Amino acid sequence: MFDEIQFEKINRLPKYIFAEINDLKMTARRAGADIIDFSMGNPDARTPQPIIDKLCETAQRDKTHGYSASKGIYKLRLAMTKWYKRKYNVELDPDSEVVATMGSKEGYVHLVQAITNPGDVAIVPDPTYPIHSQAFILAGANVEKMKLKFDEENFEVDEEQFFKDLNNALDNSLPKAKFLVLNFPHNPTTATVTPEFYERVVALAKEKRFYIISDIAYADITFDGYTTPSILEVEGAKDVAVEAYTMSKSYNMAGWRVGFVCGNKKLIGALQSIKSWLDYGMFTPIQVAATVALDEHHYVPDEQIIPLYEKRRDVMLKAFENAGWHMGKPSASMFIWGKIPKSCQAMGSLEFSKRLLTEAGVAVSPGVGFGKYGDDSVRIALIENENRIRQAARNIKKFLKKVEEENKQKES
């Protein structure tokens, strides 16, 4: 009887491809295998001690254990406005233009729930971080995928092609697209854009009347002189855009779940409203510690986090190159977007990832899990130390030689 009851919202979600890799990984570990895990962007380094100390100190105060504010305590929202002023010279009102969220993912999903009507259309570049599109599906909206084109050696977005494709998507979407999702530095590809990109997209949003949701989760993690621009730097951007940021990566605070959404007052107001119905905000000591991190320890990414990922990036690129796997050099984020080696391209990203895990003991994320245009690549998170990276390269070298021998046998 109850089998006949359908949950249509859940049925609209695609199969979670990463679950297959996770299951294989767990099975291998239970069997005693040593898996070098690059599959999830979960920082492995410690949260800076002063931030932990502030959390512990604040948690000792009895008054901090009650309900908090759903939009975040005032001092935390104020600290975020100072972050934008310091980093981008952008002025924000802490009351009407900022919401503190339980990580940027929660804020993004609740924002979409608040502002989306059934049947609305959102344009989302593909490949994409899955929730960027699935949040709209969960809200009863439709998603128009647009292939993201970029240079595969330096991961710079082909901005001219982007706007050609965007204009085409805007002109052909029915009903007319209401939202555009941007995420630069990009997850999963690490692709980056210029400040001029945001000037053009803001002007287009005003002309063709759509809102922009920008996610800059990896804004702080940049290399080789690259600086992440913010859409809110553009004059008039707050008329059409909001931006999400998280402390997860910049401060090694992934499990703390501290994020923000900033910008357009109408969209921020909608998010504040829906959160007032759904939650009572983060645990107050976490918010106090996050405030101190932003105000007093804003140097942490530059001095601790960025050098760690830059060194790992350089070690991986060299070691994997020596193993026979050439990959382009990203200038931002904590990932490498690796095109599948030529000898393995016929497998597709899921089969390649499965074999890499079971035969080389190396876990990566299959690109197809981020969208159909990602199936020629895999995402590799820089979350293992340098020795483990070099060991992975040795394992991969043996695996690639094995595949080459298999290919020769098939040809003969």
Side-chain angles (χ1 to χ4, degrees), residues 166-187:
L166 177 57
N167 274 293
N168 184 59
L170 289 166
D171 291 342
N172 291 291
S173 63
L174 290 173
K176 181 176 172 292
K178 186 175 177 181
F179 305 103
L180 169 67
V181 177
L182 301 176
N183 170 215
F184 301 110
H186 189 247
N187 183 8

Side-chain angles (χ1 to χ4, degrees), residues 150-156 317 321 326-331:
F150 51 89
D151 187 302
E152 294 181 346
E153 285 301 311
N154 59 26
F155 300 99
E156 294 175 353
L317 290 176
E321 181 80 35
H326 173 76
M327 299 183 293
K329 187 177 184 180
S331 58

Side-chain angles (χ1 to χ4, degrees), residues 151-253:
D151 187 302
E152 294 181 346
E153 285 301 311
N154 59 26
F155 300 99
E156 294 175 353
V157 170
D158 183 338
E159 296 185 7
E160 290 303 320
Q161 188 63 51
F162 183 95
F163 283 100
K164 287 180 183 177
D165 293 340
L166 177 57
N167 274 293
N168 184 59
L170 289 166
D171 291 342
N172 291 291
S173 63
L174 290 173
K176 181 176 172 292
K178 186 175 177 181
F179 305 103
L180 169 67
V181 177
L182 301 176
N183 170 215
F184 301 110
H186 189 247
N187 183 8
T189 71
T190 79
T192 58
V193 295
T194 64
E196 291 74 23
F197 172 89
Y198 286 126
E199 292 175 4
R200 292 179 67 179
V201 80
V202 167
L204 189 62
K206 291 185 176 184
E207 175 191 343
K208 298 202 172 182
R209 300 182 62 79
F210 59 88
Y211 284 116
I212 303 163
I213 305 174
S214 169
D215 177 356
I216 56 168
Y218 300 91
D220 286 325
I221 304 175
T222 59
F223 320 114
D224 307 325
Y226 178 74
T227 300
T228 300
S230 164
I231 196 170
L232 298 182
E233 291 178 285
V234 179
E235 185 176 354
K238 288 191 286 186
D239 295 337
V240 294
V242 291
E243 194 159 66
Y245 172 78
T246 175
M247 299 181 72
S248 294
K249 311 305 189 295
S250 303
Y251 294 85
N252 286 336
M253 293 170 63

Side-chain angles (χ1 to χ4, degrees), residues 224-355:
D224 307 325
Y226 178 74
T227 300
T228 300
S230 164
I231 196 170
L232 298 182
E233 291 178 285
V234 179
E235 185 176 354
K238 288 191 286 186
D239 295 337
V240 294
V242 291
E243 194 159 66
Y245 172 78
T246 175
M247 299 181 72
S248 294
K249 311 305 189 295
S250 303
Y251 294 85
N252 286 336
M253 293 170 63
W256 295 54
R257 310 313 300 133
V258 185
F260 305 89
V261 181
C262 310
N264 180 271
K265 290 183 178 181
K266 184 175 181 179
L267 300 189
I268 294 300
L271 178 55
Q272 288 178 346
S273 180
I274 198 169
K275 281 180 65 64
S276 70
W277 284 96
L278 296 174
D279 69 69
Y280 288 107
M282 291 170 275
F283 184 39
T284 298
I286 289 178
Q287 298 191 60
V288 173
T291 301
V292 169
L294 289 168
D295 281 344
E296 300 178 20
H297 303 288
H298 53 80
Y299 57 82
V300 162
D302 291 339
E303 295 186 1
Q304 297 180 36
I305 310 302
I306 295 172
L308 175 73
Y309 289 127
E310 185 171 24
K311 179 67 173 177
R312 290 178 178 180
R313 177 201 65 171
D314 294 345
V315 169
M316 181 174 286
L317 290 176
K318 182 178 180 180
F320 281 35
E321 181 80 35
N322 292 337
W325 188 356
H326 173 76
M327 299 183 293
K329 187 177 184 180
S331 58
S333 92
M334 58 181 288
F335 303 111
I336 290 179
W337 184 244
K339 192 161 189 178
I340 298 171
K342 187 175 181 180
S343 60
C344 304
Q345 286 176 1
M347 298 180 191
S349 63
L350 182 56
E351 183 61 25
F352 173 71
S353 298
K354 287 179 178 179
R355 289 196 60 181

